Amino acid sequence: MHHPGPPRFVSTGETVQLAPRDPDPTGRYAWRVADAPPTSDSTVGSDPVTEFTPDVPGRYQLGLEAPDGDHLLTVLAFSAAYEGIDVAGGSGEAIRDREADRDGIDYAAGRLADDGGPPRIRLDAEVEDAEVVVRATATPNPASSLAVDELAVQFVIDDRDVAAAIAAGRTNPRDAVTETETEGGATLRLPTGSVPDRLRVHAVAVAREPDEDARVSVADAVSVDRVDAGGSDPFAGGDALGDPTAGESFAVTPQNRPPAWTADASVYEVYVRTFADAEHGETLAAIEARVPEIAELGVDTLWLTPVLENDGKPHGYNITDFFSIADDLGDREDYERLVETAHDSGMRVLFDLVLNHTARDHEWFRDAYGNPDSPYRDRYEWQESGEPGTYFDWELIANLNHANLTVRRYLLDVVDEWAPLVDGFRCDMAWAVPDSLWREIRDRVKAADPEFLLMDETIPYVPRFHEGMFDVHFDATLYFTLRQVGRGHEPADAVIDAVEKRAAVGFPDRAGFLQYVENHDETRYRVECGDDAAAAAAAATFTLPGVPMVYAGQEIGQRGRRDAIAWEHARPEVRERYARLSAAHDAHPALGPAGDFERVDYRVAGGGSGERQIAGDDAAVHPDDVVAFRREHGSEALVVVLNFAPGEALVAVDADHGRLDVVTGDPCVEADAGGEERIRVDDVAVVSVGT
């Protein structure tokens, strides 16, 4: 189906890219504004991939005439104050529009306006008395002065499902719904007889501070799907519901929920060309041989840097053939054996997906460069100088033109080629690819496997990338904060601020975050900050709410960023520390992404009061070197204490806690001279507390 996808929620003046899905490059596509607010003068362009910018608030209907018929898309526009919330209206346009010579990245970007950021919303659905009931729970921004009952909720039923219901002879779902305000949100009800095979309901929460424009949440969505009489669910992955008296059954699936397996996932990144000693063409086999050793560490998800044919640069991101395994690594069979071995060892595999650019050695670019008549010319972006579009002065790549239907068709074919083999995509430079393409890719891979993972590399992170695009997001804000703490430039409790910022900038509760202190683009943490801070920072990634990641070599004390892994010089005590952290993370759901996270009062005993570098020679522990917080899930509650300093810390926590460290299994509590119990912590201690 060429329908352009889910409804869009934007601010006036924000540009939306419109594109037919599953495009036929030879097909004819025409856009129009089918309906708009009376005072609007907004138009659409004449190209198959075009742009639309709403000029006044209200509901717009955009029409697409395509080879498979006519389609309508709802765009809801708000006079919204997005400035300073994340980037340029909450999507990736501003990042994509960076000047080529701007090579600096502010990892901590995403400042908030004085009155806070947007609200948040969560949708849940069930079937009650022959009605589908969708409940919206709205939450004010943490910095907002508004109460819950001052937020508005706006529902939109997916245009694709409206068309399907009408085609099936059912009542238009939009004519059959009733909406009511409830305490903490709103409720939408729809008779089950008006539900087509699939019904997707989208909604946003809207906050209006006095004398301010609206602030609009990241949209959430839920899908209600009919299950056939034989019990087969064509959209597997939801919770089965039904009304036995009506003979109807349904499955409910939250649309923006990360895969269930990420609740206790941990990622291990492999920089493929230096991970294992191997002859030309044998690298994948050498990595495969080390998979059992990786699995013994306790990590369960393997991220491999790009494995496709490239221009010879060892990182592999300059791709020349998107359908072939690089011959210096092995062949397709070697890659498939590696994935199979990982699966047999209980590990999932992430494919590093590069969709923004090709290498300049790609056959398209070689023909197009300097040749205005090349049939490949319009598959790339070009500067006035005649050079291709690129970012950060990267000389060996050329940005693809995603407005070209042939390019989009090609990239979707790439997705179809590799998605069936793996468990998810780590999406390179996600900010540099249009939202419309990511939304299509998400629907495409989730239709085949609802538990397929989409993880974006977007620095700084963008809350609205969780709106029908990605499940888990690189948390560069936490990364940068951990570096600053390790350098002694920030107090340790800044890590709490970094985690709380997720909600402050508008990420919904269901969003997942990749927590890391190293990767192939960054120096090793211990090189910058020392071993003691490195131990605490690693513990932070396993105990804060997110998905922890280990960069290959990190677990043995490797110092080189992309050097060959010095397996023969591995430090057993470091590896044992990571294995303990991984085991504790898996054994205690409170430490996972779903666990509640809150501050706790604590005091550091015997600490010095002077300013000093955290990795200095002085063994005294400064209070700013230590942070404590509480994690809770179900009946389990834990207090985590992190110590970034070289010396051992004694920390009193205002909570009734146990005496054993759940990471080591050893006692970690002692009484000071005044009889007060204190937690003894080297790098990390985790103790149980009463709920």
Side-chain angles (χ1 to χ4, degrees):
M1 176 187 277
H2 297 309
H3 192 286
R8 304 295 296 273
F9 303 88
V10 299
S11 62
T12 53
E14 182 182 356
T15 298
V16 178
Q17 187 187 77
L18 305 172
R21 293 191 165 193
D22 200 20
D24 175 2
T26 66
R28 179 185 178 278
Y29 301 90
W31 290 93
R32 70 186 187 282
V33 178
D35 192 21
T39 59
S40 173
D41 294 320
S42 292
T43 60
V44 292
S46 58
D47 295 328
V49 179
T50 189
E51 294 181 338
F52 174 70
T53 306
D55 54 356
V56 298
R59 183 184 295 264
Y60 295 79
Q61 286 267 291
L62 306 180
L64 171 65
E65 183 183 337
D68 64 342
D70 195 62
H71 307 286
L72 292 174
L73 173 70
T74 296
V75 175
L76 217 56
F78 300 87
S79 179
Y82 285 109
E83 293 79 10
I85 304 304
D86 37 53
V87 287
S91 61
E93 282 78 7
I95 304 180
R96 288 195 290 271
D97 291 343
R98 286 174 173 167
E99 296 296 328
D101 60 357
R102 178 183 168 186
D103 56 3
I105 300 176
D106 182 1
Y107 291 98
R111 62 180 177 83
L112 294 176
D114 292 340
D115 57 350
R120 290 172 292 152
I121 194 169
R122 175 186 174 119
L123 294 187
D124 296 282
E126 58 186 337
V127 175
E128 296 178 349
D129 300 326
E131 283 189 321
V132 170
V133 182
V134 180
R135 293 184 171 88
T137 303
T139 307
N141 188 273
S144 174
S145 61
L146 296 179
V148 171
D149 59 6
E150 294 178 281
L151 302 180
V153 172
Q154 190 128 17
F155 291 104
V156 176
I157 294 178
D158 200 296
D159 299 275
R160 293 167 291 183
D161 305 330
V162 170
I166 294 172
R170 301 181 184 275
T171 303
N172 184 330
R174 289 177 179 165
D175 294 336
V177 300
T178 58
E179 298 179 23
T180 56
E181 294 184 4
T182 60
E183 184 177 352
T187 298
L188 177 148
R189 294 179 180 271
L190 177 70
T192 55
S194 296
V195 177
D197 287 343
R198 162 167 273 191
L199 179 78
R200 284 158 288 195
V201 179
H202 309 257
V204 291
V206 183
R208 291 189 180 277
E209 304 277 355
D211 302 319
E212 295 286 343
D213 287 334
R215 295 190 184 277
V216 182
S217 72
V218 171
D220 197 13
V222 64
S223 177
V224 180
D225 304 302
R226 287 184 176 272
V227 179
D228 66 30
S232 173
D233 174 12
F235 306 103
D239 298 323
L241 301 170
D243 177 2
T245 61
E248 297 177 304
S249 295
F250 301 87
V252 172
T253 308
Q255 293 296 280
N256 295 316
R257 181 203 68 189
W261 57 266
T262 61
D264 59 359
S266 51
V267 176
Y268 188 87
E269 181 196 358
V270 170
Y271 186 75
V272 294
R273 287 178 174 79
T274 57
F275 179 75
D277 292 334
E279 299 295 328
H280 184 95
E282 299 178 357
T283 298
L284 293 175
I287 295 172
E288 179 192 354
R290 285 198 176 270
V291 164
E293 182 179 349
I294 299 171
E296 288 175 1
L297 188 64
V299 293
D300 56 22
T301 306
L302 193 63
W303 160 25
L304 304 174
T305 56
V307 296
L308 301 180
E309 283 286 10
N310 58 81
D311 63 359
K313 292 296 179 182
H315 53 70
Y317 286 93
N318 304 344
I319 296 174
T320 57
D321 184 347
F322 286 77
F323 293 91
S324 298
I325 298 295
D327 62 8
D328 67 311
L329 301 180
D331 57 24
R332 175 71 172 252
E333 291 183 357
D334 293 324
Y335 179 71
E336 292 186 5
R337 277 196 300 269
L338 168 56
V339 174
E340 182 178 358
T341 297
H343 287 167
D344 290 344
S345 299
M347 300 183 72
R348 293 177 171 85
V349 178
L350 302 183
F351 182 94
D352 209 324
L353 185 67
V354 182
L355 298 186
N356 171 66
H357 57 267
T358 73
R360 295 197 185 198
D361 282 348
H362 192 283
E363 61 178 351
W364 290 359
F365 185 81
R366 288 201 306 267
D367 190 90
Y369 187 57
N371 178 13
D373 298 325
S374 168
Y376 305 109
R377 183 75 179 182
D378 62 355
R379 298 185 188 183
Y380 290 95
E381 297 177 356
W382 298 97
Q383 303 178 57
E384 291 183 3
S385 64
E387 292 299 309
T390 185
Y391 292 101
F392 314 131
D393 288 333
W394 291 337
E395 297 178 346
L396 300 179
I397 66 169
N399 288 354
L400 289 164
N401 174 18
H402 297 100
N404 181 294
L405 288 187
T406 300
V407 168
R408 296 178 82 98
R409 176 75 270 159
Y410 180 86
L411 296 179
L412 291 171
D413 291 344
V414 171
V415 167
D416 290 347
E417 180 75 14
W418 300 109
L421 299 181
V422 295
D423 306 283
F425 289 145
R426 178 269 185 186
C427 301
D428 182 61
M429 293 176 64
W431 49 267
V433 176
D435 301 4
S436 61
L437 187 57
W438 286 129
R439 293 175 195 273
E440 179 174 5
I441 289 170
R442 181 183 182 87
D443 281 356
R444 200 176 189 91
V445 298
K446 297 285 187 177
D449 178 7
E451 292 293 282
F452 194 91
L453 174 66
L454 289 169
M455 181 168 67
D456 67 334
E457 182 212 26
T458 298
I459 301 174
Y461 50 34
V462 179
R464 279 178 56 189
F465 276 19
H466 200 77
E467 185 178 304
M469 288 180 272
F470 299 101
D471 301 304
V472 174
H473 316 271
F474 270 49
D475 193 342
T477 297
L478 178 61
Y479 160 82
F480 179 76
T481 301
L482 287 168
R483 288 276 171 147
Q484 290 293 83
V485 172
R487 296 174 182 130
H489 297 165
E490 294 281 353
D493 65 4
V495 301
I496 298 179
D497 299 332
V499 172
E500 290 179 343
K501 186 175 181 182
R502 298 168 181 172
V505 299
F507 275 106
D509 292 337
R510 284 188 172 120
F513 296 90
L514 186 74
Q515 301 180 155
Y516 59 98
V517 296
E518 300 175 0
N519 62 41
H520 65 276
D521 286 326
E522 310 296 347
T523 57
R524 296 285 184 176
Y525 190 100
R526 67 184 293 251
V527 171
E528 280 194 36
C529 307
D531 285 345
D532 299 288
T541 65
F542 279 88
T543 55
L544 291 168
V547 177
M549 189 193 88
V550 177
Y551 177 41
Q554 180 181 334
E555 80 281 15
I556 64 168
Q558 178 87 3
R559 295 183 65 85
R561 175 169 60 112
R562 297 181 179 178
D563 299 347
I565 303 296
W567 298 110
E568 68 280 9
H569 299 297
R571 299 168 60 191
E573 74 280 6
V574 177
R575 181 180 173 84
E576 290 169 7
R577 183 188 307 133
Y578 276 90
R580 289 195 301 268
L581 287 169
S582 182
H585 180 267
D586 290 347
H588 298 277
L591 297 177
D596 291 337
F597 173 78
E598 62 183 47
R599 296 174 184 265
V600 65
D601 290 333
Y602 61 95
R603 298 172 301 285
V604 180
S609 59
E611 294 295 331
R612 63 180 186 80
Q613 289 295 317
I614 210 163
D617 295 330
D618 185 358
V621 177
H622 190 283
D624 281 352
D625 298 342
V626 176
V627 62
F629 48 87
R630 180 185 175 108
R631 304 297 315 279
E632 186 171 344
H633 183 73
S635 61
E636 181 183 50
L638 303 170
V639 162
V640 179
V641 186
L642 301 172
N643 174 23
F644 288 80
E648 187 178 80
L650 292 174
V651 183
V653 176
D654 287 350
D656 182 16
H657 58 76
R659 304 185 64 83
L660 294 181
D661 180 354
V662 304
V663 177
T664 64
D666 298 328
C668 64
V669 175
E670 61 185 61
D672 63 13
E676 183 176 26
E677 286 195 337
R678 295 185 178 270
I679 300 170
R680 186 178 64 255
V681 54
D682 184 4
D683 49 273
V684 61
V686 182
V687 295
S688 61
V689 298
T691 56

